[in-house]
Amino acid sequence: MNKTLLPSDKPALEAGAPIAHGDGLGCHAGAGEMRRAAAAAGKSETLERYAADYPAGPHDQPQSMCPAFGSLRVGLRMRRTATVLSGSACCVYGLTFTSHFYGARRTVGYVPFNSESLVTGKLFEDIRDAVFGLADPQLYDAIVIINLCVPTASGVPLQILPKEINGVRIIGIDVPGFGVPTHAEAKDVLAAAMLRYARAEAEQGAVQAPRAGRSERPTITLLGELFPADPVQIGMMLEPLGLAAGPAVPTREWRELYAAYDCAAVAAFHPFYRASIREFEAASRKIVGSAPVGSEGTESWLNAIGEACGVPRAKIDAANNRLLPVIRAALAARPVKGRITLSGYEGSELLVGRLLVESGADVRYVGTACPLTPWSEQDRQWLEAKGVKVQFRASLEHDLAALAEYEPDLAIGTTPVVQKAKQGGTPALYFTNLISARPLMGPAGAGSLAEVVNASLAAKPRFDAMREFFEDVGEGFAAGVWEKKPTDRPEFRALYKRRIEASAKARQGEDIK
């Protein structure tokens, strides 16, 4: 459900700092204009930090859902956490719809605004009053307020909200679509903000212990959203090393943030969480990249974790000798045979590519909407050594070009890639729902993809039959049902092409100005 938060009857408090506001630019202004407005309104430091943490790459940004969904998802999955959006009504509607579609059962707060309240600063006052009205320590540990594009561009200063109210932590972040490239990286924006707050609390004195108590063994914090079975598998693989699996970040409740710092090392399964990694490094925690996927991936990961934690070599070897034969047997029992292209925007694409290669698949291309970082370099090198083309910050055009070039037996990708592949008679699987929602790591991950992948590969004759059956049905200009034979009108296409090109040049000229 959604809840509109209106100003309470509580008197407005002095903000203690000047408020910079833009002119109420709408989303239609374009990314360049929105960035300039945000910088002029005092958001330069935030945008510069995002540009360094999440570089956009050769193109503006990948085509995916609104980035703010990532931060919203993190907040909605945490116990005793309220999440409030500040943005255009259409954006808030789309984000809440998507959140509830993906199973969120929490209320999403919304502070409405209009041009007058945005420009005069009344929106900030309304947000502050709404936060004071929400801050009930019996209900919440934290309240998260997320600025979307228009409030960010207008300089709504969430950073000057009180840091806590009645013992409830207040965390305000900007997650504009023109500053954060993907929703996967927006998860890092909120996770890092919470880690920063929790680290400051821990430095000041005693904090809450984990709900289940502290582990007797040194723990490994798991960085990145994981399939629920994966932490269990990771814990089993760490046991022979004398280690245990710690919390997964983003966490499910506030007290787990303290436990995340109380670790021997951090496993960066999602290596693009650069802001979170910065917080862990500030606490002198070691970071280990890649993941225990397949036989080779598990061996190298266990070696790296053991070395980072000072585990004796004999223990590391014993763990490898115990686990690797089981994983190799599972991979051999459920091989994957076929040429595959793979793409997605979740951040685990390189890990899935490694697992498919070790399963026997002929993987030609792995595209990810996320950027290359030092902690994904090992996976990139491994895949490229196997002859796989790896594309970071992949656009839809990159993915479709790979589909055309490699002519795979199976395409795994985003919705438009799947659609394009199936239209051409190639079996395809949607990465987010059918691939990333499966265990990937350790013995459970070995062979976990084989069933769904092999079933899709076996569907090729069915696609051939459907293409033959519908061969005479029109497509392109002739698509649909016609009483008369359709006539191609290329002059119309040329006219609209010229209009689109002229519009693009005009926008480019505005950005240059």
Side-chain angles (χ1 to χ4, degrees):
M1 67 183 75
N2 305 330
K3 183 177 182 180
T4 300
L5 302 175
L6 298 171
S8 69
D9 294 329
K10 297 182 180 181
L13 302 181
E14 290 299 324
I19 300 175
H21 289 280
D23 58 3
L25 288 170
C27 303
H28 62 276
E33 188 60 36
M34 297 283 272
R35 274 191 291 267
R36 281 190 289 273
K43 297 288 185 179
S44 294
E45 183 179 349
T46 298
L47 294 179
E48 288 170 3
R49 186 174 69 250
Y50 288 168
D53 285 344
Y54 319 116
H59 46 80
D60 183 22
Q61 64 187 106
Q63 303 96 322
S64 67
M65 68 181 73
C66 171
F69 172 65
S71 293
L72 179 60
R73 178 182 173 91
V74 167
L76 291 177
R77 295 178 75 184
M78 290 186 68
R79 296 187 186 97
R80 294 178 51 81
T81 299
T83 307
V84 179
L85 295 178
S86 169
S88 300
C90 55
C91 300
V92 172
Y93 170 79
L95 287 165
T96 53
F97 175 87
T98 306
S99 297
H100 298 319
F101 177 82
Y102 278 97
R105 297 184 179 181
R106 304 281 185 85
T107 295
V108 178
Y110 169 46
V111 181
F113 67 88
N114 54 32
S115 296
E116 180 180 355
S117 65
L118 186 68
V119 173
T120 61
K122 184 65 166 58
L123 172 58
F124 175 78
E125 302 296 333
D126 290 349
I127 291 172
R128 188 173 60 183
D129 287 348
V131 170
F132 268 92
L134 273 177
D136 183 349
Q138 298 299 316
L139 298 176
Y140 301 117
D141 293 328
I143 298 173
V144 177
I145 309 95
I146 302 173
N147 265 348
L148 305 181
C149 288
V150 172
T152 298
S154 298
V156 176
L158 298 181
Q159 68 273 13
I160 66 173
L161 287 168
K163 298 304 179 186
E164 64 89 21
I165 301 172
N166 300 327
V168 178
R169 303 161 184 87
I170 308 301
I171 298 176
I173 57 175
D174 297 285
V175 192
F178 57 83
V180 182
T182 67
H183 80 283
E185 289 157 299
K187 296 174 186 177
D188 180 44
V189 173
L190 180 52
M194 290 184 165
L195 284 168
R196 190 179 312 117
Y197 198 123
R199 181 161 58 87
E201 290 180 318
E203 289 171 349
Q204 292 171 4
V207 293
Q208 279 184 305
R211 191 176 293 272
R214 292 186 65 189
S215 171
E216 296 180 356
R217 291 171 288 162
T219 60
I220 304 299
T221 292
L222 316 178
L223 184 57
E225 284 197 320
L226 303 176
F227 182 77
D230 280 332
V232 177
Q233 287 293 307
I234 293 165
M236 293 172 59
M237 289 185 282
L238 291 172
E239 186 177 359
L241 301 179
L243 304 172
V249 177
T251 62
R252 293 303 182 95
E253 63 177 323
W254 189 270
R255 65 171 67 187
E256 290 179 356
L257 292 164
Y258 310 130
Y261 278 115
D262 186 21
C263 67
V266 176
F269 295 131
H270 282 190
F272 52 87
Y273 276 55
R274 300 189 74 134
S276 295
I277 288 173
R278 184 166 56 246
E279 297 302 323
F280 282 116
E281 288 181 331
S284 300
R285 298 300 182 261
K286 296 178 180 178
I287 312 297
V288 176
S290 194
V293 291
S295 173
E296 293 186 33
T298 299
E299 182 177 14
S300 62
W301 187 80
L302 287 175
N303 289 342
I305 286 290
E307 292 169 6
C309 299
V311 177
R313 186 71 238 181
K315 269 193 172 184
I316 299 174
D317 292 340
N320 282 324
N321 292 336
R322 173 180 167 183
L323 289 167
L324 299 185
V326 178
I327 294 173
R328 293 188 188 113
L331 291 169
R334 308 186 73 181
V336 175
K337 301 298 180 183
R339 186 185 307 146
I340 295 175
T341 59
L342 166 68
S343 57
Y345 46 63
E346 299 296 333
S348 56
E349 291 77 27
L350 273 67
L351 301 180
V352 173
R354 289 191 64 155
L355 186 54
L356 286 172
V357 169
E358 287 212 43
S359 297
D362 177 16
V363 179
R364 298 295 182 89
Y365 169 84
V366 173
T368 176
C370 297
L372 172 66
T373 73
W375 304 279
S376 55
E377 178 64 19
Q378 178 184 348
D379 296 326
R380 180 193 68 81
Q381 291 180 358
W382 190 93
L383 286 166
E384 290 184 346
K386 303 293 183 180
V388 181
K389 163 69 176 175
V390 180
Q391 177 66 58
F392 291 94
R393 283 287 187 238
S395 65
L396 175 59
E397 290 75 17
H398 284 123
D399 298 341
L400 294 180
L403 182 67
E405 179 180 354
Y406 298 115
E407 298 180 344
D409 302 311
L410 173 67
I412 299 173
T414 57
T415 301
V417 173
V418 169
Q419 179 184 8
K420 182 68 173 179
K422 288 184 175 180
Q423 284 178 338
T426 299
L429 292 170
Y430 179 37
F431 183 91
T432 298
N433 285 4
L434 298 174
I435 301 298
S436 69
R438 293 175 180 273
L440 299 177
M441 302 181 194
S448 67
L449 301 180
E451 183 177 358
V452 64
V453 169
N454 286 332
S456 293
L457 286 167
K460 176 62 175 172
R462 193 170 61 203
F463 278 89
D464 292 339
M466 285 192 291
R467 279 186 59 82
E468 182 180 354
F469 180 81
F470 290 106
E471 187 174 6
D472 294 331
V473 176
E475 59 184 31
F477 77 91
V481 179
W482 300 80
E483 293 182 2
K484 299 179 180 179
K485 185 176 180 179
T487 302
D488 190 10
R489 300 299 295 270
E491 65 274 15
F492 287 173
R493 288 199 298 274
L495 173 63
Y496 285 113
K497 182 180 180 181
R498 288 195 297 272
R499 289 181 179 175
I500 292 172
E501 289 174 347
S503 177
K505 287 181 179 178
R507 287 197 302 271
Q508 185 179 11
E510 291 175 1
D511 288 344
I512 292 174
K513 293 177 184 178

